[in-house]
Amino acid sequence: MVREIDPSVNEVNFLLEALREGKRVDGREVYDMRSLEITLGADYGHVEVQLGRTRVSANVSAEVVRPYPDKPTDGQLIFNTEISPMAASFFEIGSRSEDEVLISRLIEKSLRRSGAIDTEGLCIVAGEKVWQIRVDLLFLDHDGNLVDCASIAAITALLHFRRPDVTVSGEDVTIVSIFYSVYSSNRSKKSCTVKHSSYTNLYYICIFR
């Protein structure tokens, strides 16, 4: 990762004076939150969140895998983050920065380790087949609050996502295509069971489904 340029003396003095006067460059008061905009994509599980001028795109996908031996009835929830130079010039292609690792760990703790997602509800056949839910986070613009924006994008994408239904007959598992479910009934479009909404910021967002 390219090292950020240290602020000049004038910039430091300006920031300190603005803090003393309770002013911000974007016109917000000291305790005002950034404006939030959520855009739902055409595909289930694809959302774009803009928090102030920071933008994060989230995409959720699912596949059937074998469960971990020590958790035979639990599905899997994994997160992948990518910060490209498009978000900020000091990020490099192909190298995983400290910020990227930190954001990925915080999102994982707030959603997976907190038990926000019902992983047992992702089990198809105990010890044999479970759903693996993958959340890909792509950072488009970086203007602060990356973790908050990524957290909102991840939980919103999970709430918006619909996975295909499955039918089990003996040892045979049939996945019902989501395209088929659109023309038959909504019963085949299963959402991830979110026990509670976990965010890394201090305000609560109501998402109506």
Side-chain angles (χ1 to χ4, degrees):
M1 177 178 177
V2 179
R3 184 175 180 271
E4 291 188 63
I5 300 175
D6 294 330
S8 65
V9 175
N10 289 337
E11 290 174 323
V12 172
N13 292 335
F14 172 79
L15 290 174
L16 293 176
E17 185 63 27
L19 287 173
R20 282 191 289 266
E21 295 181 6
K23 297 180 179 178
R24 293 193 182 194
V25 176
D26 57 5
R28 287 183 295 150
E29 298 295 331
V30 176
Y31 297 106
D32 287 349
M33 302 301 298
R34 295 170 184 253
S35 60
L36 175 65
E37 181 180 341
I38 299 177
T39 304
L40 302 180
D43 297 328
Y44 285 113
H46 179 249
V47 303
E48 184 176 307
V49 173
Q50 182 165 339
L51 189 61
R53 289 184 294 180
T54 296
R55 286 193 307 141
V56 175
S57 174
N59 188 67
V60 179
S61 57
E63 66 174 327
V64 177
V65 298
R66 180 175 291 274
Y68 296 122
D70 57 334
K71 296 181 179 180
T73 60
D74 281 4
Q76 301 171 15
L77 179 65
I78 59 176
F79 295 90
N80 177 59
T81 58
E82 181 180 348
I83 307 179
S84 69
M86 183 174 66
S89 58
F90 49 81
F91 291 114
E92 293 180 326
I93 299 177
S95 62
R96 193 171 173 84
S97 66
E98 294 181 3
D99 290 341
E100 193 172 349
V101 174
L102 176 62
I103 291 170
S104 181
R105 289 177 179 175
L106 287 174
I107 297 299
E108 181 182 351
K109 287 181 179 180
S110 65
L111 293 178
R112 187 166 67 86
R113 297 186 184 181
S114 67
I117 306 299
D118 181 18
T119 54
E120 289 188 356
L122 300 175
C123 180
I124 301 174
V125 179
E128 294 293 333
K129 297 182 184 296
V130 297
W131 284 107
Q132 181 188 80
I133 305 299
R134 177 187 174 99
V135 182
D136 291 297
L137 297 168
L138 176 61
F139 298 85
L140 304 174
D141 288 306
H142 175 25
D143 191 49
N145 280 112
L146 277 181
V147 175
D148 290 349
C149 191
S151 175
I152 297 170
I155 194 67
T156 305
L158 286 168
L159 287 169
H160 184 240
F161 177 67
R162 297 292 183 272
R163 59 176 172 80
D165 198 4
V166 295
T167 58
V168 180
S169 178
E171 297 182 354
D172 297 329
V173 176
T174 303
I175 299 177
V176 181
S177 171
I178 199 165
F179 296 102
Y180 175 81
S181 65
V182 170
Y183 294 106
S184 58
S185 69
N186 290 330
R187 180 180 60 83
S188 296
K189 295 186 291 184
K190 300 286 187 176
S191 63
C192 295
T193 304
V194 180
K195 295 180 180 178
H196 57 267
S197 297
S198 181
Y199 301 100
T200 57
N201 45 22
L202 300 179
Y203 61 95
Y204 183 77
I205 301 171
C206 294
I207 301 176
F208 298 95
R209 290 182 290 167

